[in-house]
Amino acid sequence: MTNKMNAKLLQITRLGDFYNNMRVLDSKAGEFKVVKNHNAHYLKYGPCPGCFGFFIKKNLNAHMKTCPKGTTCPKGNVINASNALSFNYTNTHPDPKFAKHVLQDMKNDKDKEVLMESQNIQAVGEFLFQKYGVKKPETPRQIMRLLARLLSAARKEMKKKTLLLEELLDPEFFDTVVKIAKNLSGEHDGKFNKEMKNPSTARRVGFAVKKAANVMKGIALRKKDEDACKKFDMFRMLVDMEWGTRINATARASERLHKRQKPKILPLTEDLIALTKYITEEIDRYMKILERTQEHQTWFELSKFVFCKNPAV
């Protein structure tokens, strides 16, 4: 009984520290509480997705082995799940860079109405934008589009026009999500097994819903909604347990099949003649330059063309 009480007390303490640290991160003032102080910068710490205690992020994978709530921790990259929990998304104050570089280019999308009305899809996009930044804005855009397509298809499938993303990410609707993922990827009966026309789409749906579940759990934690946290945890566990067999296995097999069936395009005779002529002319040009002046760069350029003409040299 004592051990159970201690475990419960530890859980309550770490959850309280989590809320405290979220306030500290928001206000950038106050005492930041961690499980073990390594005298590191506070941004190097992150919450464990299981027990909510703050650890050095690089040590989270090791902590999972002894975490009292280890069974609820997501498989794979626990640091990403930790970042999702500590991500502070506010609908009223979105990142201006996110709005400019991501949302601005999505106003003409097919599912723009679903995208713009769903604050939680935008939350997932903004979370990913923090990772990829302005150099790779297409990544969060792709995930947001995929979630919008998923939600739009789910509304038709379930005949619920007002279905929200956080409602869809429920263990009860996991089979529906799997079915829609198969439809989006164009799954059909092949000669021997199931095949997919767009296998990468199916795999990306799995990635997208896991990211969404992580972000939704972070939002639920801030609202102190334990039921929602458990719901997103269970949904994510189903993804970990079944997505690989029900979706990824077929997707990988389809990708291998597509690769084998992809025709190898051989160059035309005219192209080979033109290439040979170009290489010969460049060799002659660099040879003439070397007669006038001998520089390292000229030798280097000449050697490249010589090796192109005679690769066995």
Side-chain angles (χ1 to χ4, degrees), residues 237-251:
M237 288 172 68
L238 281 172
V239 176
D240 288 335
M241 290 188 298
E242 298 187 12
W243 201 269
T245 302
R246 299 176 66 178
I247 298 293
N248 289 348
T250 305

Side-chain angles (χ1 to χ4, degrees), residues 112-128:
K112 63 179 180 180
E113 293 183 2
V114 179
L115 276 168
M116 297 307 167
E117 76 179 24
S118 177
Q119 296 290 350
N120 286 329
I121 290 180
Q122 293 182 35
V124 176
E126 186 169 347
F127 170 69
L128 291 171

Side-chain angles (χ1 to χ4, degrees), residues 28-78:
K28 294 183 173 56
E31 183 181 357
F32 198 77
K33 298 182 181 293
V34 298
V35 175
K36 188 174 181 180
N37 190 355
H38 292 271
N39 295 321
H41 192 274
Y42 71 95
L43 291 179
K44 291 187 179 293
Y45 290 89
C48 167
C51 66
F52 306 117
F54 271 70
F55 299 84
I56 293 286
K57 290 181 181 180
K58 65 180 181 181
N59 296 338
L60 279 171
N61 281 306
H63 161 71
M64 280 183 62
K65 298 176 182 178
T66 57
C67 177
K69 290 285 185 178
T71 54
T72 64
C73 287
K75 293 181 180 179
N77 195 339
V78 69

